[in-house]
Amino acid sequence: MSLTLTEIFVYPIKSLGGISLTEAFVERRGLQYDRRMMLVDENGIFITQRDFPQMALLKTKIEDNTLKVYHSQLNHSIILSLNNENVTSLNKIKVKIWDDICEASLISKEADDFFSDMIGTKCRLVYMPEDEIRIVDRERKYVTDEHIVGFADGYPFLIIGQSSLDDLNRRLENPLPINRFRPNLVFSGGQPFEEDNWKDFFIGEIKFRAVKPCARCVITTTDQQTAERSNEPLRTLSTFRRNGNKVLFGMNLVAYNSGNVKVGDNITLL
């Protein structure tokens, strides 16, 4: 059965709402604009929906080369630059994401105040400069050559098969949308969870490697429209997708060249 790229998503600010695209540019550290910005607390430690599910209510939209962030239930919004490389006066601070310490640039006091008000906790918005090198997780030798990543949890790309979501939804009382799992790439065709066994493959002319199954967290139980939490899908996934103390869904990827991927591209397994 043919495999086809059906959806593309980027998340310009880590753990905020994503943006559906028909085409995206593959860069070394992920899709262009994907998770290059992140919120941190007063100690520089990253903030996500794991602790602040209300972040799901902050949606993003690309408008004329800027990023609009708006609250889906309140009449509040802010316009941010998508390319902060040309802002030479940005102050740099040390930030921590999982076990990694990175140097990041502060965006503005206006942004800090906006997000602190919207989330209800003191925080700052930071951007990963182009010259910052954060190496993907190589602890268990999932990938031996050196790849870099933005502020994604561990790897530059995440792919999920529509068949995998369909299989899960058949087991759930209330089917869930793909946005619960925050993928970058979604494909049609093939068997449920066949991406578990992929290695090297092409999407169009871009070569990817599947390097590690994605272990899922409480964010998948957060309704991305209401920020309300439930037990699903982790409760059901744990009955048939558990590996040790982890529940797996989707595959993390790295890429070997740059260029565009677009909805409708064929996926060719090597």
Side-chain angles (χ1 to χ4, degrees):
M1 187 181 298
S2 63
L3 307 170
T4 305
L5 185 65
T6 53
E7 294 183 275
I8 301 171
F9 297 96
V10 294
Y11 310 87
I13 302 177
K14 183 178 180 67
S15 227
L16 268 55
I19 300 172
S20 176
L21 302 174
T22 57
E23 186 172 353
F25 189 76
V26 175
E27 300 178 333
R28 286 185 68 203
R29 68 179 84 236
L31 296 180
Q32 186 179 31
Y33 307 131
D34 187 55
R35 298 177 176 98
R36 290 296 293 273
M37 288 182 273
M38 177 175 73
L39 292 168
V40 298
D41 66 15
E42 293 181 285
N43 296 313
I45 299 172
F46 76 117
I47 289 175
T48 72
Q49 289 184 39
R50 292 173 180 85
D51 298 309
F52 299 94
Q54 61 268 36
M55 292 173 71
L57 302 178
L58 290 171
K59 307 302 184 183
T60 56
K61 181 188 299 184
I62 295 175
E63 294 181 339
D64 299 325
N65 296 316
T66 64
L67 181 71
K68 179 179 181 180
V69 183
Y70 61 97
H71 197 289
S72 62
Q73 298 179 359
L74 303 172
N75 187 26
H76 295 292
S77 64
I78 189 172
I79 303 296
L80 303 168
S81 171
L82 273 171
N83 178 17
N84 292 291
E85 294 297 340
N86 56 12
V87 183
T88 57
S89 61
L90 295 182
N91 295 317
K92 289 187 175 181
I93 63 170
K94 296 290 185 183
V95 300
K96 185 174 184 179
I97 172 170
W98 297 114
D99 294 328
D100 295 332
I101 304 294
C102 303
E103 196 168 71
S105 299
L106 291 167
I107 302 295
S108 68
K109 184 180 184 302
E110 178 192 11
D112 298 346
D113 292 344
F114 172 82
F115 288 105
S116 297
D117 289 344
M118 292 298 97
I119 297 172
T121 191
K122 191 78 171 174
C123 61
R124 293 185 285 184
L125 181 68
V126 299
Y127 174 83
M128 181 176 281
E130 196 62 40
D131 59 0
E132 179 63 20
I133 301 299
R134 180 181 173 223
I135 305 298
V136 301
D137 179 11
R138 292 184 296 174
E139 179 182 353
R140 299 186 182 181
K141 303 298 183 185
Y142 289 115
V143 57
T144 53
D145 36 1
E146 200 163 277
H147 292 267
I148 63 173
V149 62
F151 288 130
D153 279 347
Y155 295 90
F157 311 92
L158 175 65
I159 193 167
I160 295 175
Q162 183 64 44
S163 294
S164 304
L165 179 63
D166 293 344
D167 183 281
L168 169 62
N169 278 335
R170 282 192 289 271
R171 304 166 191 258
L172 295 174
E173 184 177 343
N174 299 304
L176 298 176
I178 195 68
N179 66 12
R180 286 291 187 99
F181 303 97
R182 303 177 67 80
N184 296 114
L185 307 166
V186 182
F187 69 93
S188 66
Q191 300 300 312
F193 308 107
E194 76 159 56
E195 59 269 28
D196 291 352
N197 302 310
W198 288 6
K199 196 62 176 176
D200 292 332
F201 64 96
F202 279 90
I203 300 179
E205 297 181 355
I206 308 302
K207 184 181 179 182
F208 293 90
R209 172 169 289 181
V211 293
K212 177 183 176 292
C214 184
R216 308 317 306 225
C217 71
V218 70
I219 292 178
T220 63
T221 69
T222 307
D223 188 310
Q224 295 297 298
Q225 303 308 314
T226 67
E228 295 175 353
R229 285 221 166 120
S230 68
N231 293 321
E232 295 293 6
L234 287 183
R235 181 169 60 183
T236 296
L237 279 172
S238 67
T239 65
F240 73 110
R241 295 288 298 169
R242 180 177 288 279
N243 185 347
N245 63 350
K246 295 180 178 180
V247 175
L248 307 178
F249 192 82
M251 282 293 290
N252 291 296
L253 314 175
V254 295
Y256 282 89
N257 55 319
S258 297
N260 287 316
V261 291
K262 57 184 183 296
V263 169
D265 278 349
N266 291 324
I267 298 177
T268 306
L269 305 182
L270 300 181

